Amino acid sequence: FYDLWGQLEINGSSVLFNKMYSLLESKHNKKNLLMLRDALYKVNYDNPKINASISETVLGRKELSEKSGMVFWANDLGEQEIAKELLQFVWRIAAVQTSDEHIKFRLERAKKKCYLISSKINYLTFPD
């Protein structure tokens, strides 16, 4: 994991972030959550496809009822402020403009999922 972190700091690869998430996905604790949250800010968001992929990872790729993704992870740990920060983060990176219709659809779906998750975790003032 720490090798991936070092590589991510150097090249900002979203692929490395997703690998890090996969390694920690089943190990829900605050330390791992904070490491992944910090890693989000190391990714180079130079392509709307990356924004869509990271948004999907943070929000969860499964159905809402399965409560996957980092936002639910944070909320389940009682870390509501981190959950809110993650929703705001996704909201910002999903606002990127693109002419690719498929990527545009994924980004719009991420924004809708932000609203749905915000209501599930009682974040009533989303987006701030």
Side-chain angles (χ1 to χ4, degrees):
F1 176 85
Y2 292 103
D3 289 340
L4 292 173
W5 176 265
Q7 292 174 41
L8 178 66
E9 284 189 303
I10 293 168
N11 66 23
S13 168
S14 62
V15 172
L16 291 174
F17 174 83
N18 283 324
K19 284 182 183 180
M20 291 168 64
Y21 178 82
S22 292
L23 287 172
L24 298 178
E25 186 175 17
S26 64
K27 300 172 182 143
H28 286 196
N29 62 50
K30 186 175 179 178
K31 178 185 172 195
N32 291 343
L33 177 66
L34 291 173
M35 284 192 292
L36 286 173
R37 185 216 38 206
D38 293 347
L40 284 171
Y41 295 97
K42 304 289 184 188
V43 174
N44 291 329
Y45 296 94
D46 54 3
N47 178 327
K49 186 176 181 179
I50 291 169
N51 295 42
S53 174
I54 296 294
S55 295
E56 291 161 351
T57 299
V58 172
L59 297 175
R61 297 180 185 275
K62 299 176 183 173
E63 293 296 320
L64 275 181
S65 61
E66 295 191 44
K67 295 174 60 175
S68 67
M70 292 174 64
V71 176
F72 282 119
W73 175 357
N75 193 64
D76 290 347
L77 290 174
E79 299 294 336
Q80 284 77 20
E81 291 307 312
I82 295 172
K84 291 175 183 180
E85 176 187 352
L86 293 169
L87 281 173
Q88 290 292 340
F89 181 86
V90 169
W91 186 258
R92 285 191 305 275
I93 67 170
V96 69
Q97 299 298 310
T98 181
S99 59
D100 182 314
E101 290 300 319
H102 178 68
I103 300 300
K104 190 182 295 186
F105 171 78
R106 290 173 64 194
L107 293 167
E108 286 301 316
R109 185 176 56 201
K111 286 192 215 175
K112 288 176 186 169
K113 199 166 187 179
C114 279
Y115 275 118
L116 292 170
I117 292 173
S118 69
S119 68
K120 294 243 183 235
I121 66 168
N122 295 317
Y123 182 14
L124 304 177
T125 60
F126 178 80
D128 293 333

